[in-house]
Amino acid sequence: MSHDKRDKGKYRIKILLIIFAEVVVLMALAIWLVPPIVARATSNDLSIARTRYPSIAGTRIDTCALCHTGPPNLNPFGAAYLANGRNAAALAAIENFDSDGDTFTNIQEIMALTFPGNPNDFPAPASPTPTMVPPTATSVLPTATTMPPTATSVLPTATTMPPTVTSAPPTATSVSPTSTGVPPTSTMMPPTSTMMPPTSTMMPPTVTTMPPTPTSPPSGSLDLDIHKFKVNSEFEMGEGNVENEDDQIEIRLDVKNSGSVEGQGTAMVVGVQNGVEIYRETITVTDPAGNGHTRYFFSSFVPTTAGDIAWTVSLSDGDPDNDVAVKVTDVKNHDEDDDHDGDDDGDDDDQGGGDDHGGGDDDDDGNGDGHGDDFQGYLPTLYQSKRGR
């Protein structure tokens, strides 16, 4: 009887082991067959790009850098792609945009295999077609010069010396006069005939190559960076006075000079809503070298249509670093949400890699409202922060 119980116990243990092994195998198959969600999403975006532009497959732009400065941060091209629907239609809608502001459209850069979201990466200018100019042969006809014979006659010269009479005192000595005659000399030069031989001159073509002019390197470097980029995170369309700054989107840029010399650059802000470019403005910016930063305000904007606005600012100063920042404003109709006033969310994070001077309200007016006293809201206005200088 006890022998039968031991056999049944062993049988049950075998059954449990078999069931456990089957569960382990099923879990391993599930892990192997289901890919990670994030990898699938990234692969899907690149697959959409390869389908739209087959020539980019396997090239330098067939990477995440096509839309990202570094995941999860989007570059201007990626922001426009996201704002327009993140699909093949979105790629088609932004082909003629210049997302990074380098004067080349997105489709031109993709066809040239350069990144459409990086203002420092763009197609090389077309090289000029060399023009061959044949050498010019200059012939100088031979000149025959005949010199007429020159006859030179020298008339004969007759020289007659008068007689010299020398008288001595009366010493009874008489010296007879001496007469000296030099016969006349006659000189006749034979005629000279000079014949110049003809001269034939062939001038070879002259090719002049100017050596390159050496250029002295600059004594210092200019490096303007985006210190902060700020827009309203939300905006509610409704009845209101556009003269009130709360009823318009404010666009602010803080520029910091990380270089050793002072100079100028250009800052451009582009706004895209529902696949359409609705805003573009470029201003000249500068900042003294050293600590601190300089604040600029672009023209404010009042939207008339609901939908996210992707704001992209790009800074060009001749420095090879990538100075681009992106912000998004959520624009809603008045009846969509009555719980917010559309004012700025106070997001004052550093978009340019610099440190925040002062923290919190950084508008130098001391009232903590997020708006500086010098901001007028309609024309680009320079306000130089004195804090940190």
Side-chain angles (χ1 to χ4, degrees):
M1 186 69 178
S2 62
H3 181 72
D4 293 339
K5 289 181 179 180
R6 286 197 298 270
D7 290 342
K8 291 181 179 179
K10 291 180 180 180
Y11 178 76
R12 290 174 181 173
I13 292 174
K14 290 181 180 179
I15 294 298
L16 291 175
L17 290 175
I18 292 173
I19 294 173
F20 177 75
E22 291 178 349
V23 170
V24 171
V25 171
L26 290 175
M27 291 177 64
L29 288 174
I31 293 174
W32 181 70
L33 291 175
V34 179
I37 296 175
V38 175
R40 190 190 322 172
T42 302
S43 175
N44 184 48
D45 290 330
L46 287 175
S47 177
I48 292 174
R50 295 189 198 104
T51 302
R52 178 73 181 176
Y53 314 112
S55 61
I56 72 169
T59 64
R60 64 190 291 269
I61 67 173
D62 187 15
T63 64
C64 295
L66 181 64
C67 294
H68 294 271
T69 57
N73 297 325
L74 294 172
N75 60 31
F77 178 77
Y81 171 64
L82 176 62
N84 284 272
R86 195 180 180 185
N87 50 34
L91 291 177
I94 64 175
E95 284 183 346
N96 293 321
F97 290 1
D98 180 12
S99 294
D100 54 10
D102 58 4
T103 71
F104 293 91
T105 62
N106 295 337
I107 187 63
Q108 287 176 329
E109 296 213 48
I110 292 173
M111 292 297 100
L113 301 181
T114 59
F115 290 101
N118 184 351
N120 296 311
D121 187 36
F122 47 81
S127 58
T129 303
T131 303
M132 299 298 295
V133 179
T136 303
T138 303
S139 273
V140 179
L141 297 177
T143 302
T145 304
T146 303
M147 299 295 292
T150 304
T152 304
S153 262
V154 179
L155 298 176
T157 304
T159 304
T160 303
M161 298 296 293
T164 303
V165 179
T166 304
S167 294
T171 57
T173 302
S174 178
V175 180
S176 61
T178 303
S179 174
T180 302
V182 178
T185 303
S186 175
T187 304
M188 179 69 73
M189 297 295 293
T192 303
S193 176
T194 304
M195 178 70 74
M196 297 296 292
T199 303
S200 176
T201 303
M202 178 70 73
M203 299 296 292
T206 302
V207 179
T208 304
T209 301
M210 298 298 293
T213 303
T215 303
S216 300
S219 57
S221 61
L222 172 67
D223 184 13
L224 297 177
D225 296 321
I226 297 174
H227 183 64
K228 289 177 183 157
F229 178 47
K230 187 174 180 182
V231 298
N232 301 61
S233 64
E234 295 179 346
F235 185 88
E236 180 180 355
M237 294 190 305
E239 297 182 356
N241 184 8
V242 295
E243 297 295 332
N244 184 358
E245 62 184 13
D246 292 333
D247 293 327
Q248 51 196 333
I249 297 177
E250 300 174 3
I251 307 170
R252 190 185 82 185
L253 173 66
D254 290 356
V255 177
K256 179 179 179 180
N257 188 354
S258 302
S260 57
V261 298
E262 184 175 358
Q264 291 183 340
T266 57
M268 180 176 66
V269 173
V270 177
V272 177
Q273 183 185 39
N274 301 325
V276 179
E277 181 177 309
I278 59 172
Y279 184 98
R280 178 183 290 262
E281 185 173 15
T282 302
I283 64 173
T284 300
V285 296
T286 186
D287 182 64
N291 295 327
H293 59 273
T294 304
R295 179 164 297 168
Y296 295 86
F297 290 97
F298 289 76
S299 299
S300 58
F301 180 74
V302 179
T304 58
T305 305
D308 289 349
I309 301 177
W311 301 97
T312 303
V313 61
S314 56
L315 179 60
S316 300
D317 59 350
D319 192 79
D321 58 352
N322 187 13
D323 297 321
V324 178
V326 179
K327 288 288 187 178
V328 177
T329 300
D330 182 13
V331 181
K332 297 180 179 180
N333 289 317
H334 180 70
D335 55 353
E336 288 183 4
D337 186 2
D338 294 328
D339 296 329
H340 63 81
D341 58 0
D343 198 5
D344 188 73
D345 62 344
D347 178 20
D348 208 16
D349 55 314
D350 188 355
Q351 295 290 338
D355 56 335
D356 187 2
H357 297 275
D361 173 37
D362 197 16
D363 299 300
D364 295 335
D365 59 351
N367 57 11
D369 62 351
H371 307 292
D373 290 337
D374 293 333
F375 175 64
Q376 302 299 324
Y378 296 102
L379 297 174
T381 305
L382 167 63
Y383 173 77
Q384 181 167 327
S385 173
K386 298 180 180 177
R387 190 185 293 107
R389 292 212 179 271

